């Protein structure tokens, strides 16, 4: 802690605070460049490996345990692969920020490779339109809208999917994903497409969860060994039902008051799509 305050381990575009002090580090944000995100992560991890190499040498020296004939060979080849789980947990992540309307050449396979790499690269995907572009075979959604489902099958990283209307799910999911020691995907529907209805953004995004078109879930491999432990869908409205249902009261032509239940399905969501 003291070392962090005196000498930053690394800083990327860091600016002094109001007291004139530079922050210990800043989390780099890379936009629309998958190769750049991977390269940035590798460069930062090399800095962290050099730091922990110096720390481990210093610990041996302090205890008078360093033996040149044994330890020189080991530490001369010391790299990222030598970091312990504890040391890896102290290495900050990279944020790879994307927007579905401006992917600029980034394709599905590149993102899946990152999410399957074991690196601490956190992918933030903001989706403007769920049905834009080429839909997946047999489905109505674009591949960007289905990326969360595909990422779960990798069983390697943290995945959070939610519309921007689900603020509590976003807050807890972002925090848990940033703390996860590995890759993460934050897939968020922001509802800013000209193809959608004239409804306020909050109502438009809420409709995706209500209709099950873009359900709320988070997947954390650290929670257990089976899908039941890892996957949480409780953030969805009426998650114990196939479709959400609400009572609707109306008067018949004869003046009688009648109550029925109306389901809100993907068909209702698509009716709002121009």
């Amino acid at each position: 802690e003291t070392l962090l305050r005196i000498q930053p381990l690394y800083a990327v575009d860091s600016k002094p605070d109001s007291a004139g002090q530079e922050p210990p580090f800043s989390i780099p944000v890379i936009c629309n460049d998958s190769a750049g995100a991977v390269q940035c992560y590798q460069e930062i991890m090399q800095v962290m490996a050099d730091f922990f190499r110096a720390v481990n040498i210093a610990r041996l020296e302090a205890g008078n345990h360093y033996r040149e004939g044994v330890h020189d060979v080991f530490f001369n080849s010391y790299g990222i692969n030598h970091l312990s789980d504890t040391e890896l947990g102290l290495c900050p992540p990279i944020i790879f920020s994307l927007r579905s309307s401006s992917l600029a050449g980034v394709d599905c396979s590149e993102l899946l490779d990152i999410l399957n790499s074991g690196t601490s690269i956190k992918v933030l995907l903001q989706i403007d339109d769920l049905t834009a572009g080429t839909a997946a075979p047999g489905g109505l959604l674009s591949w960007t809208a289905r990326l969360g489902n595909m990422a779960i099958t990798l069983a390697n990283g943290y995945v959070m999917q939610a519309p921007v209307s689900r603020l509590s799910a976003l807050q807890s999911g972002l925090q848990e994903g940033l703390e996860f020691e590995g890759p993460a995907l934050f897939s968020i529907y922001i509802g800013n497409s000209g193809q959608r209805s004239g409804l306020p953004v909050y109502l438009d995004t809420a409709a995706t969860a209500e209709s099950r078109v873009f359900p709320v879930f988070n997947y954390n491999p650290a929670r257990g060994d089976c899908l039941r432990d890892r996957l949480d869908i409780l953030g969805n409205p009426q998650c114990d039902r196939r479709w959400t249902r609400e009572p609707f009261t109306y008067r018949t032509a004869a003046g009688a008051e009648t109550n029925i239940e109306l389901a809100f399905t993907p068909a209702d969501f698509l009716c709002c799509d121009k």
Side-chain angles (χ1 to χ4, degrees):
E1 247 181 81
T2 304
L3 179 61
L4 283 173
R5 293 196 188 99
I6 296 173
Q7 178 66 44
L9 296 183
Y10 66 88
V12 179
D13 296 330
S14 60
K15 297 179 180 178
D17 58 21
S18 58
Q21 300 293 321
E22 285 193 352
F25 56 80
S26 60
I27 298 178
V29 179
I30 309 298
C31 298
N32 296 335
D33 183 2
S34 57
V38 173
Q39 181 180 354
C40 182
Y41 174 79
Q42 291 173 341
E43 290 174 354
I44 288 177
M45 289 302 295
Q46 188 56 57
V47 172
M48 298 302 292
D50 292 342
F51 169 76
F52 284 116
R53 172 181 178 273
V55 168
N56 289 322
I57 290 175
R59 285 173 174 164
L60 289 170
E61 293 279 12
N64 196 28
H65 299 307
Y66 194 93
R67 302 293 180 263
E68 293 182 358
V70 176
H71 295 113
D72 281 356
V73 175
F74 174 74
F75 284 112
N76 284 340
S77 61
Y78 194 89
I80 299 172
N81 58 311
H82 292 96
L83 297 179
S84 67
D85 290 340
T86 301
E87 291 166 343
L88 287 171
L90 296 173
C91 298
I94 301 295
I95 305 295
F96 182 26
S97 179
L98 296 163
R99 194 154 180 168
S100 63
S101 58
S102 56
L103 286 176
V106 178
D107 60 30
C108 180
S109 61
E110 290 180 84
L111 294 180
L112 290 176
D113 284 344
I114 289 175
L115 296 171
N116 199 35
S117 64
T119 63
S120 284
I121 298 178
K122 315 297 183 179
V123 179
L124 172 62
L125 176 60
Q126 300 177 74
I127 303 173
D128 305 271
D129 193 341
L130 297 175
T131 58
T134 304
L140 58 89
L141 303 181
S142 63
W143 70 263
T144 53
R146 297 176 63 88
L147 186 63
N149 293 334
M150 290 185 278
I152 286 180
T153 64
L154 300 175
N156 186 52
Y158 181 88
V159 183
M160 183 271 289
Q161 175 177 293
V164 74
S165 58
R166 291 282 170 172
L167 299 180
S168 60
L170 291 179
Q171 181 183 22
S172 60
L174 288 168
Q175 180 175 348
E176 189 176 25
L178 289 173
E179 293 173 351
F180 179 75
E181 295 180 11
L185 169 66
F186 308 118
S187 183
I188 304 172
Y189 176 58
I190 60 176
N192 193 26
S193 169
Q195 297 300 317
R196 293 297 298 157
S197 67
L199 290 173
V201 172
Y202 179 86
L203 293 179
D204 178 39
T205 55
T208 63
E210 291 282 341
S211 63
R212 314 291 200 226
V213 169
F214 197 73
V216 180
F217 65 78
N218 64 74
Y219 173 87
N220 189 345
R223 283 201 288 257
D225 296 326
C226 63
L227 184 62
R228 179 178 178 177
D229 296 328
R230 295 179 173 187
L231 184 63
D232 182 359
I233 62 169
L234 297 180
N236 290 285
Q238 301 180 27
C239 59
D240 58 334
R241 291 182 167 188
R242 182 178 180 86
W243 307 117
T244 59
R245 292 181 174 273
E246 297 293 343
F248 180 73
T249 303
Y250 67 97
R251 288 190 180 277
T252 66
E257 188 175 279
T258 304
N259 295 293
I260 61 171
E261 269 196 340
L262 294 178
F264 194 74
T265 71
D268 298 287
F269 175 78
L270 289 175
C271 282
C272 298
D273 195 303
K274 296 177 183 178

